Amino acid sequence: MAGLGLSSGPVAAGVLAETTAAINPDTMILFGALGGMCAFAVTAAVSLVRHRKQSAQVTATLEKEKGDLKFRVDRLEAMLNTDEQRVIVWTGNGAMPQIWGILPEKSGVPRPPAQLLAFGSWLTAKCAGDLERFLDMLFRTGEAFTTTLKTRTGTYVEALGRTTGGAVVLRLRDLTGERQMQAELAARNAKISGELHMLHSLLDAMPDPAWQRDAEGNLIWANDAYAEAVEMSDAESAVKEGATFLDAAARTAMAVQRTEDGCFNARIPIVASGERRVFEITDVNANVGGAGIAVDISELEQAKKELGRAEEFHGRTLDQLAAAVAIYSSDRKLQFYNAAFRQLWDLDATFLEGHPEDGAVLDALRAARKIPEQADYRGWRKKMMESYQSLEARENWWHLPDGRTLRVIANPHPQGGVTYIYENVTEQLDLESRYNALTRVQGETLDNLSEAVAVFGSDGRLRLWNPAFGRIWDLEEDQLSELPHVKQVVSACTLSDTEEEAWELLAGNVTGLLDNRTQKVNRLERHNGDVLDYATVPLPDGGTLVTFVDVTDSVNVERALLEKNEALEQADQIKNAFIQHVSYELRSPLTNIIGFAQLLADPKFGELSEKQGEYAEYIQSSSSALLAIINDILDLATLDAGIMELDLGEVDVANTVSAAVEGLKDRIAEARINLRMHVPEDIGVMIADEKRLRQVLFNLISNAVRYSEPDGVVDVSCDRDENNVTFVVKDHGYGIPAEILTQVFKRFVGHDTGTRRQGAGLGLAIVKSFVELHGGAVDIDSAEGKGTTVTCTFPARPELADQAAAE
């Protein structure tokens, strides 16, 4: 049939026609049915193959979708089972909810499902109730929620409730890091907000002003009392207007007196509601702002002031009393004591401030052995306590173990209690005996004084005298015992005009008015040559004390010393005059000797032998040394006469130092001295007499060389500042003994240095004179065996120094 199906063309048609013509109709029907069945079978087979292919494709697709869905479910379950969250799903069929995921133990969420669903077991009561309420609304209305829950361990968990299809999903997530901090901050904020609201409510109910400020100091809250104090309608208006309760003085005090922790507490008078009242201000300041409260203590302050003034007045009055006072109340407890009481008994201040009973005070005094010893102390104490039942004051005498005697007065109060007054009468009892003893001592003292003492009363009569007074003035005891008037004493004691004049002056001081009398001290020379120093001293009672001291021997010695001093000064003047005249007389012949010695040494006038040349050099060196001494003496004489004048001008300091050193070059080489100069190149110039300055440096360096050991070192340094030029010459030689150091600037004072020859002793005297003539100063420092340092300070410009000194 397939072959037939595939045939085509006229041949096939012919064949078919022949075949058809040969087949009968039944066969045709049979063949037709058979052909239809074959076609149906082919069509069904093709459809089956195609359907199987489509079914295989659908099955493969479904299998793939099933695998994908299973993978997604597994992945979702894996995600739900992580430790970041816990999911609870209610499907609504009454079955137990499904739970996925876990949370770390530190989150505070339990892992067992039964315990997890018991929210009250692991959440705080408030959070558990909130969660139950949110879930109920979610089940009933489908209202989603997101909230933060606090566990009993103090951690925070985020709860998210949603509906998905017909299921209710609750997801719990542990808050960590910033979310945990945010949750804690939110909880803390809610707590602080509640506490702040509660605090504001409390302060609003108080009758005292209270306020709160921000970090910039602006008012952000105030209570009703604050608004009333600043005369505003309400607190909101006061905050809006920024009304200030504290005045400028209070704000200044607050800024100054605030402690390091930002607290301020003080009592300040402030005008509030139109009245000046006293408030106790407490203000706290921090970086976020500040808050304060003012408590009105005006009435309390007034009452305390009045009570304090009364107590202070009574206490001050009683403290001024010399007598000790103690006040006991009706219950026999100490209520008050003054300073004299505390000083008298020397009891512990803590014990007294504890208000002890009267008997306890007596017991403490007895234990300290400060009250009289009693054979029957209990009976004596009981008798002392009877003063509380007495109606009249009682007096007792206490003879204390330390020798004091007290007069004790117990004065009962009409309302109960006793006031004790302890009067120390020891001095009063001892006064008479002391007075008598003092009188005897005074009499013996006056009688044995070498000074003559006499006391005249305000009426001018003699009241007191000693034997020396009668002995000096040759007055008999009988005359003095009659207490003569000062006029009678004057007539008896005056034998010369000088004595009469002195006694008239004394009499005037004795009989003069009190305001006109003054202490007088003078000297009197008597007719017999005695010399007396006398003095009159006005006494407070109107009398006059007159004393006479025989100073004859002292005056004679003084006179002898004065005469000797005058003779020494005259001898010194004669010596100086002699030296000056001799110096002038020696200078001319000495100049001739030097000149002729130089001529002899000059080869032009003939050759000298070696010995003769040596002698000529000795003559020149010795003559030059002698001429230098004579010139120094003449310079000193000129200075003494006050006719020395300086030739001031600009002096090159460095050249002057070099010139002085050059003049001593031979001497330095002979003594084998190492001279070190420390003169800055920019030392510049100064105003001075160049010749005298060179002479000063010459003498200083010469002394340093003379008193240095061979191969020693001498340092010459120079320095200057804005106003002065300083020269320092320092040697490291023998030094100057301490007993001579104070005299080195005197003339003709020197000291030996062993093998070295002592100089004339004029060098330092010349140095001091010339330096001071320039307006400068000289200082010397020396120690034996260590050397000597001489410092000369010259004013750089003497005329400016003189001008400053004049100003």
Side-chain angles (χ1 to χ4, degrees):
M1 293 181 68
L4 292 176
L6 297 173
S7 299
S8 62
V11 177
V15 174
L16 179 61
E18 291 178 357
T19 303
T20 303
I23 299 174
N24 60 25
D26 293 332
T27 304
M28 290 294 291
I29 294 171
L30 179 62
F31 279 114
L34 181 61
M37 291 177 62
C38 290
F40 175 78
V42 171
T43 302
V46 171
S47 297
L48 178 61
V49 170
R50 186 180 296 172
H51 178 70
R52 285 182 177 179
K53 184 177 181 180
Q54 290 178 352
S55 298
Q57 291 177 350
V58 171
T59 302
T61 301
L62 291 178
E63 288 291 340
K64 182 179 180 182
E65 290 180 357
K66 177 182 177 183
D68 292 340
L69 290 175
K70 185 176 181 181
F71 175 75
R72 292 177 62 186
V73 169
D74 292 341
R75 184 172 62 182
L76 289 175
E77 286 184 355
M79 293 176 62
L80 290 176
N81 287 324
T82 61
D83 59 352
E84 295 181 354
Q85 62 182 353
R86 198 142 197 205
V87 179
I88 306 174
V89 179
W90 289 271
T91 57
N93 55 6
M96 288 293 294
Q98 295 179 338
I99 301 175
W100 290 280
I102 59 173
L103 289 176
E105 294 183 358
K106 64 178 183 180
S107 66
V109 179
R111 293 187 177 182
Q115 189 177 356
L116 174 65
L117 296 176
F119 301 127
S121 63
W122 56 277
L123 290 175
T124 60
K126 181 178 182 304
C127 291
D130 293 342
L131 182 58
E132 294 286 354
R133 186 172 67 256
F134 288 146
L135 287 175
D136 183 61
M137 293 294 296
L138 183 61
F139 275 106
R140 289 191 294 107
T141 64
E143 181 180 352
F145 67 88
T146 301
T147 185
T148 301
L149 305 176
K150 184 178 182 181
T151 66
R152 293 185 179 274
T153 60
T155 58
Y156 292 88
V157 177
E158 184 183 45
L160 294 89
R162 298 288 185 275
T163 58
T164 302
V168 174
V169 179
L170 174 63
R171 183 171 63 179
L172 302 176
R173 292 197 304 176
D174 181 21
L175 298 181
T176 59
E178 294 183 357
R179 295 173 60 84
Q180 175 76 12
M181 293 176 59
Q182 290 177 359
E184 293 177 355
L185 290 176
R188 187 181 303 172
N189 183 49
K191 180 180 178 183
I192 293 175
S193 298
E195 292 176 352
L196 181 61
H197 178 73
M198 179 180 62
L199 182 60
H200 283 178
S201 301
L202 175 63
L203 294 177
D204 276 331
M206 292 184 63
D208 300 310
W211 61 90
Q212 186 176 357
R213 305 182 307 275
D214 59 11
E216 287 74 23
N218 300 320
L219 186 67
I220 59 175
W221 180 87
N223 64 353
D224 296 335
Y226 185 97
E228 182 180 354
V230 297
E231 301 181 0
M232 299 295 290
S233 59
D234 53 25
E236 294 181 359
S237 300
V239 173
K240 183 178 180 181
E241 297 294 334
T244 303
F245 174 70
L246 302 176
D247 55 16
R251 292 195 297 271
T252 302
M254 183 181 298
V256 173
Q257 301 178 15
R258 192 179 298 276
T259 60
E260 294 181 357
D261 55 357
C263 296
F264 169 80
N265 184 270
R267 296 183 176 183
I268 302 176
I270 299 175
V271 177
S273 301
E275 297 182 3
R276 186 175 181 83
R277 308 183 69 83
V278 179
F279 290 86
E280 184 170 4
I281 307 295
T282 301
D283 189 271
V284 179
N285 197 12
N287 56 353
V288 296
I293 187 170
V295 180
D296 187 356
I297 57 170
S298 301
E299 297 181 359
L300 175 62
E301 194 72 13
Q302 184 65 25
K304 290 180 64 176
K305 285 183 178 179
E306 293 178 358
L307 179 61
R309 282 195 295 267
E311 291 182 351
E312 182 182 1
F313 172 75
H314 292 297
R316 188 168 59 249
T317 302
L318 293 177
D319 277 337
Q320 298 302 318
L321 295 178
V325 177
I327 301 176
Y328 291 86
S329 59
S330 57
D331 57 356
R332 302 187 181 185
K333 291 187 176 181
L334 181 64
Q335 297 298 318
F336 173 82
Y337 59 91
N338 64 351
F341 178 85
R342 185 174 60 252
Q343 183 179 2
L344 174 65
W345 298 119
D346 192 23
L347 292 173
D348 186 14
T350 306
F351 172 71
L352 296 177
E353 293 297 334
H355 304 290
E357 293 187 353
D358 191 355
V361 174
L362 290 178
D363 293 341
L365 294 176
R366 179 172 180 265
R369 298 181 57 84
K370 294 181 179 180
I371 58 175
E373 297 289 346
Q374 301 293 333
D376 184 8
Y377 170 72
R378 292 187 178 181
W380 178 83
R381 181 174 179 273
K382 182 179 180 181
K383 184 177 180 181
M384 292 297 301
M385 296 296 106
E386 292 176 357
S387 299
Y388 289 91
Q389 288 80 32
S390 176
L391 299 178
E392 296 181 356
R394 293 189 175 189
E395 181 180 282
N396 295 281
W397 291 81
W398 290 5
H399 299 284
L400 305 184
D402 59 3
R404 291 180 296 175
T405 301
L406 300 181
R407 178 171 172 257
V408 182
I409 301 174
N411 187 18
H413 298 173
Q415 290 81 20
V418 175
T419 298
Y420 288 100
I421 301 175
Y422 306 87
E423 182 181 359
N424 189 353
V425 296
T426 307
E427 294 184 2
Q428 180 179 347
L429 297 177
D430 191 49
L431 181 61
E432 184 176 354
S433 59
R434 290 177 57 193
Y435 175 76
N436 293 333
L438 181 62
T439 302
R440 290 193 299 270
V441 170
Q442 183 182 36
E444 291 294 332
T445 303
L446 290 176
D447 289 346
N448 290 279
L449 284 177
S450 60
E451 297 179 343
V453 178
V455 178
F456 292 90
S458 58
D459 56 356
R461 289 189 171 274
L462 185 65
R463 297 298 183 187
L464 183 66
W465 69 94
N466 65 346
F469 178 75
R471 184 169 58 252
I472 287 179
W473 294 105
D474 296 329
L475 297 175
E476 298 294 337
E477 187 69 22
D478 296 339
Q479 294 176 271
L480 298 175
S481 61
E482 294 178 0
L483 305 180
H485 193 271
V486 66
K487 295 297 184 181
Q488 297 174 336
V489 176
V490 170
S491 61
C493 296
T494 56
L495 298 177
S496 66
D497 295 339
T498 305
E499 294 176 357
E500 184 177 359
E501 181 180 354
W503 268 107
E504 288 295 337
L505 181 61
L506 290 174
N509 286 339
V510 170
T511 58
L513 297 176
L514 182 61
D515 294 340
N516 296 331
R517 295 190 305 147
T518 57
Q519 183 174 351
K520 300 290 184 180
V521 178
N522 212 331
R523 177 166 289 183
L524 166 65
E525 188 168 352
R526 299 191 62 191
H527 65 283
N528 57 0
D530 293 344
V531 181
L532 303 178
D533 281 346
Y534 64 91
T536 60
V537 181
L539 299 179
D541 61 352
T544 304
L545 171 67
V546 182
T547 61
F548 298 91
V549 181
D550 189 350
V551 294
T552 305
D553 296 338
S554 300
V555 170
N556 291 336
V557 172
E558 181 181 358
R559 289 172 180 172
L561 292 175
L562 289 174
E563 292 175 356
K564 184 177 181 180
N565 185 59
E566 291 176 357
L568 291 174
E569 289 181 353
Q570 186 175 6
D572 188 58
Q573 294 176 359
I574 294 172
K575 180 191 71 173
N576 290 337
F578 171 76
I579 292 173
Q580 294 172 15
H581 287 298
V582 171
S583 298
Y584 277 111
E585 294 299 328
L586 288 176
R587 189 171 187 177
S588 296
L590 185 59
T591 304
N592 293 334
I593 293 174
I594 295 174
F596 286 118
Q598 291 176 349
L599 291 175
L600 288 175
D602 192 346
K604 294 189 297 182
F605 297 96
E607 294 291 337
L608 297 178
S609 64
E610 182 179 352
K611 207 64 173 177
Q612 289 173 340
E614 184 179 351
Y615 292 157
E617 290 179 1
Y618 288 156
I619 294 173
Q620 291 182 29
S621 61
S622 299
S623 300
S624 298
L626 182 57
L627 181 60
I629 294 173
I630 293 174
N631 287 334
D632 289 344
I633 294 173
L634 292 178
D635 287 340
L636 291 175
T638 306
L639 290 169
D640 292 340
I643 60 176
M644 172 70 74
E645 294 184 0
L646 297 176
D647 183 13
L648 297 178
E650 288 192 354
V651 178
D652 189 316
V653 177
N655 290 340
T656 304
V657 175
S658 299
V661 173
E662 186 66 26
L664 290 166
K665 189 173 183 181
D666 294 339
R667 191 179 301 180
I668 293 172
E670 180 183 355
R672 301 201 313 274
I673 298 299
N674 181 17
L675 182 67
R676 298 186 300 194
M677 296 177 59
H678 309 278
V679 181
E681 295 180 357
D682 58 346
I683 192 66
V685 297
M686 61 180 289
I687 303 300
D689 187 333
E690 182 176 3
K691 177 182 176 183
R692 301 306 180 187
L693 177 59
R694 189 165 58 249
Q695 189 174 352
V696 167
L697 295 174
F698 183 89
N699 287 339
L700 291 178
I701 299 173
S702 176
N703 274 357
V705 171
R706 177 182 295 115
Y707 294 108
S708 295
E709 297 178 353
D711 300 321
V713 178
V714 173
D715 292 308
V716 179
S717 59
C718 181
D719 193 12
R720 74 179 302 155
D721 54 22
E722 183 178 357
N723 300 318
N724 299 315
V725 178
T726 304
F727 298 91
V728 179
V729 178
K730 180 178 181 182
D731 66 71
H732 305 274
Y734 303 100
I736 303 174
E739 63 273 9
I740 301 178
L741 188 62
T742 58
Q743 305 175 11
V744 293
F745 290 112
K746 294 181 181 180
R747 301 173 187 179
F748 305 106
V749 174
H751 66 284
D752 295 330
T753 58
T755 59
R756 293 295 180 92
R757 177 177 58 84
Q758 176 180 321
L762 297 175
L764 290 180
I766 289 289
V767 168
K768 181 177 177 64
S769 300
F770 284 158
V771 172
E772 292 179 350
L773 192 61
H774 278 82
V778 182
D779 182 53
I780 187 169
D781 183 22
S782 182
E784 282 192 271
K786 294 184 180 180
T788 304
T789 301
V790 181
T791 304
C792 297
T793 303
F794 289 85
R797 299 184 64 86
E799 66 277 7
L800 297 181
D802 294 341
Q803 181 181 355
E807 292 176 357

